[in-house]
Amino acid sequence: MKVRTKAYGEIEIEDTQRIRFPRGLFGFEDLQDFVLLDATQQPFYWLQSVDRVEVAFVLMDPKFFRPDYTPDVDPAELEEIGIAGPDELLVFCIVTIPAAGQRMTANLQGPLILNRRTHVARQSISTDPRWGVRHGVLEEMAQARQKAPQDAPESSC
Amino acid sequence: MLILARRIGESIMVGDQVEISVVDIKGDQVKLGIKAPSQVKVYRREVYAAIQDENRAAAAASPQTLPSLDELIPKQSDPGKSST
């Protein structure tokens, strides 16, 4: 399938890259079909709307800069996207990248949860007071590295 | 919208599992108590609005301003990325 993308123009994508958000994302409830692309810049991904080329989100694994991150996803949400076991769950956070020179932030209060088997996803809302919508990625990554001088523990979400 | 008048100590039920009671009233501020099953998420309306706003800001991302890993981590060490 060919998809017009904001980052790479029109590209051919595999069915395995398609992600369906039955309820859309908050503020974008009318968009259900997306594709997940590896960004050429690691550790980022693009979540590109299939229907509106100008809507594309930069995603990353929240554990990349916050090894202590645990989303408080409730059972009803897991059920909604058909999660049968913990190894099916993938968690991403949306990164906000303002104009050059400004601070890049990640939204840990509204993580995306994704079923890697069925490719169905939704945006969750965390009620844990530790997580806000604007975490400074670079600052918190530096802090995490100070706390744990050896490499951050490897963990998949 | 359904509008109900309640006094301090009185409550309303939403379905048969969610109870919202008026705990206190001071001036223009009302303190509410909410009893709900743990799988029902309760949050202020502003949280929802903040996430909507942040999504809109994030969706405007331009590919040109995406930093590379080298810019993120000055001294290189592979954090063991897991991907789909």
Side-chain angles (χ1 to χ4, degrees):
Chain A
M1 178 176 95
K2 277 197 163 51
V3 173
R4 286 174 65 215
T5 68
K6 186 157 81 170
Y8 308 118
E10 188 174 271
I11 55 170
E12 185 70 34
I13 63 123
E14 308 281 330
D15 270 355
T16 54
Q17 292 173 281
R18 299 185 67 169
I19 309 284
R20 185 157 173 85
F21 285 76
R23 293 162 176 249
L25 277 73
F26 300 119
F28 296 90
E29 284 80 2
D30 57 327
L31 300 177
Q32 275 93 43
D33 292 305
F34 288 84
V35 291
L36 186 64
L37 313 165
D38 284 320
T40 44
Q41 299 95 329
Q42 282 187 351
F44 300 108
Y45 305 86
W46 281 102
L47 183 69
Q48 170 69 54
S49 161
V50 170
D51 301 307
R52 273 169 61 194
V53 63
E54 74 277 14
V55 177
F57 299 93
V58 175
L59 308 186
M60 72 188 290
D61 175 354
K63 293 210 188 245
F64 184 82
F65 78 104
R66 284 297 296 250
D68 59 332
Y69 185 67
T70 47
D72 57 332
V73 181
D74 69 47
E77 289 176 319
L78 295 179
E79 198 178 314
E80 190 185 307
I81 60 168
I83 297 277
D87 54 331
E88 289 183 356
L89 178 66
L90 277 175
V91 179
F92 291 101
C93 59
I94 300 180
V95 180
T96 303
I97 300 172
Q102 282 175 353
R103 179 171 178 265
M104 174 174 73
T105 61
N107 180 353
L108 298 184
Q109 199 167 12
L112 304 184
I113 56 173
L114 195 154
N115 184 329
R116 61 160 38 130
R117 179 175 52 88
T118 61
H119 294 214
V120 177
R122 66 160 287 153
Q123 187 165 26
S124 177
I125 294 184
S126 171
T127 51
D128 186 329
R130 285 182 296 167
W131 313 127
V133 295
R134 289 195 171 177
H135 288 259
V137 173
L138 299 182
E139 297 86 337
E140 294 183 27
M141 189 157 63
Q143 278 170 18
R145 276 168 183 260
Q146 272 176 359
K147 267 187 225 157
Q150 65 277 46
D151 274 348
E154 263 193 46
S155 47
S156 58
C157 312
Chain B
M1 189 194 300
L2 173 67
I3 296 174
L4 299 168
R6 301 275 69 193
R7 293 194 166 84
I8 289 173
E10 294 182 338
S11 61
I12 60 166
M13 297 296 298
V14 179
D16 53 8
Q17 302 216 52
V18 178
E19 180 177 2
I20 301 169
S21 51
V22 179
V23 175
D24 198 10
I25 303 172
K26 269 193 195 128
D28 63 355
Q29 199 178 44
V30 180
K31 259 191 197 153
L32 301 174
I34 296 147
K35 252 190 245 171
S38 59
Q39 71 270 22
V40 174
K41 288 199 171 179
V42 177
Y43 43 78
R44 294 177 172 86
R45 175 75 176 79
E46 298 92 289
V47 170
Y48 177 79
I51 291 176
Q52 272 189 333
D53 287 349
E54 200 56 34
N55 279 354
R56 291 199 186 99
S62 144
Q64 285 79 39
T65 50
L66 194 59
S68 69
L69 188 64
D70 301 339
E71 292 168 61
L72 285 178
I73 306 170
K75 67 175 170 43
Q76 180 68 28
S77 68
D78 182 18
K81 180 172 81 85
S82 66
S83 74
T84 44

